[in-house]
Amino acid sequence: MNKSRRAPKVLRYAAEVVTAFAKGDAVTRLSFLVMGLWGFARRTFARGAVYLFTQIAYIAYMIVFGGKYLVKFTTLGTQTQGKVFDEELGIYIYTQGDNSVEILLFGTLTVIITILFFIVWASNCRAAYKSQLAQKRGEHIVTLKEQIASLDSKNYHITLLSIPTLLVTTFTLLPLIFMVLMAFTNFDKAHQPPGNLFTWVGFDNFTSILGGNDKISYTFVRLLGWTVLWAILSTFTNYIFGMILALMINKKSIKFKKGWRMVFISTIAIPQFVTLMLMSQLLHAQGGINILIQQLGLADSPIGFLTDPLLAKITVVIVNMWIGIPYSMLIITGILSNIPEDMYEAARIDGAGPVRVFFKITLPYMLFVTTPYLITQFVGNINNFNIIYLLTGGGPLTLEYYQAGKTDLLVTWLYKQTVNEQNYNLAAVIGIAVFIITAVASIIVYNRSAAATKEEQFG
Amino acid sequence: MKSYKLRRKISDTAIYALLTLLAILWLLPIVYLVLQSFRAENGAYTEYIIPKGFTLDNYIRLFTETDLFNYPKWYLNTLIVAIFTCIISTLMVLMISYAFSRLRFPSRKTYMNLGLILGMFPGFMSMIAVYYLLKIIGLGQSLISLVLVYSSSAALGYFVAKGFFDTLPRSLDEAATIDGASRNQIFWKITLPLSKPIIVYTALTSFVAPFADFIFVSVIMKDNYNQYTLSLGLFQMLSRENIFAYFTRFCAGSVLVAIPVGLLFMFLQRYYVSGVTGGAVKG
């Protein structure tokens, strides 16, 4: 939907540039080559200077920095680091070769900068033609000063969005494109620049994860299954039990409501990583919980809460409940207090019992309000790195899997492939897979909730 | 009538019993953490739960023995990063979400969808590239790099704030425009003063984020212990070679982290709730 709307816009823009050239006079046409020339010719010097400066800066960038990476972008480097024996010094001297990582990263940067430059160039061409028309009609040509002034009101979005855009492009967009491209290379442990270069391999990594390599694809399928199961289990256990807890405290006849809530909320106070590290100590073979169990005579030997494959999975779900239930209780309590009282009254007059009231009023209202919250929780749980990494470290390790353990999620596998194994290409493919899962899940739920919001507003 | 009362009494008693049990389950790890932080005996594990001797040594040594693990430095690092991240990302999130909610400009939808898509990639997928970039810019192992990385990822979380701005009446803007106020003035003088709940929510979540992350810290700082933040630093204390000597100090260090973060949360929890539920609950 988005694409179909976008393509004409780009085409329209391109058409305007073509028209500008076709109908432009000499100055306008020359401005295609020397940006900002029209500004000097038509007495809006400042605007012309800005365009000219941009062009000079771009050319300088390409000569000094970008060009050499762009040239090698198709091969990602051919010259490996050399080793030459220096007779005089009696040592080996390394000659600098290509570095595929740098070529890929700065090549991508250069491509982005080039695209941006072309956008500026196109706006230069349009502005040149516009100024030509304005001059012909004897109208006033907009000056730089007026443009800057418009940033305060008419073009205020540029003021607000430019810095965030710059930051996000540099630290999120560029690195992401880089990583996505990496999925199409053979940048693994055996191809580490500058000693060994890597190059483009097309879709090889995708085919190997989808069945080409038995062990990797087996690991992928199993971890994918566990990731989805985990995300569903952890999201809904927290939600349901949080709701039960909130309803119990909210019951009219229960006293010390604030006190009870405070007890559970106080656990939120402790940063998650502290809780998780502490829990992993408590659940250790010699940890507090095993000591307690053995002293009470409930077991003879330590229980492998974190080392038994099935038990470890149950453990992470339960620990996650310990962490998450106070949050969902807090939120659900807030929502409960917001349900319009007259809805309950109407139900009571109709003679509905508490169970019916819950299923007919409380639950639908809650789901209505918390759908976005549930989506973010679900997505957050797919990416829930901390809990797995800090509790089990993905373990227990198994030889059936490719460098992964039984409780590893796709994201912790990704982390291990990057940091421990340096199989960046595999990591990139996993990352893309995680993206697809989150995107599909979000779109499905979003469409459903969008359909719901089109109906009458609740309450 | 009597049976109804009896039934209610039974159900109430059952709920009290259950709540008490749950409260114990939830408080036990916290009590354990606090007890261990005062434990006088050495070692990571003890054969008993309640320490035999109590001491303040664990707390004192955190601040005096700083050769290997510089806890006060970590604390300072975390505070610096958290404060700057909080300021920058709150400002950015407010600016982005206001622009998307109130201003109409070409390719606004495209822009918003792009943000949505970017947010769906696992955040640390790109950490290797970020590491290289920072090194080239010359910010290698600095706290500024952490602030930049956290802020840029926080910028994508504009949905909650946008939802909030959507609920503010547009007539206010229109009235101000008629009075001759510019967009810039409307944003700072009219919209922001009305947006306390969402400002507090955004500030709170972005302030707490640096306390929780240790992936980026570990990738960026490598083994430069002095530039660590609390989470990664405390994590080091529990590594196999350190846990015996440092477990009780880890507990003490954790308690000192928990107190300020906890207090902050206690005071601001209603904003948190209203933020998460997208303004459905009034803060």
Side-chain angles (χ1 to χ4, degrees), chain A residues 326-375:
Chain A
Y327 281 98
S328 46
M329 181 213 68
L330 183 65
I331 287 153
I332 289 166
T333 306
I335 297 168
L336 283 176
S337 70
N338 252 47
I339 298 182
E341 191 57 37
D342 47 345
M343 282 170 73
Y344 283 120
E345 225 144 86
R348 231 172 281 137
I349 290 165
D350 290 348
V355 178
R356 250 182 87 88
V357 168
F358 175 77
F359 281 104
K360 290 286 172 203
I361 298 175
T362 315
L363 192 62
Y365 183 87
M366 203 98 78
L367 284 175
F368 176 78
V369 177
T370 50
T371 307
Y373 171 71
L374 281 176
I375 303 175

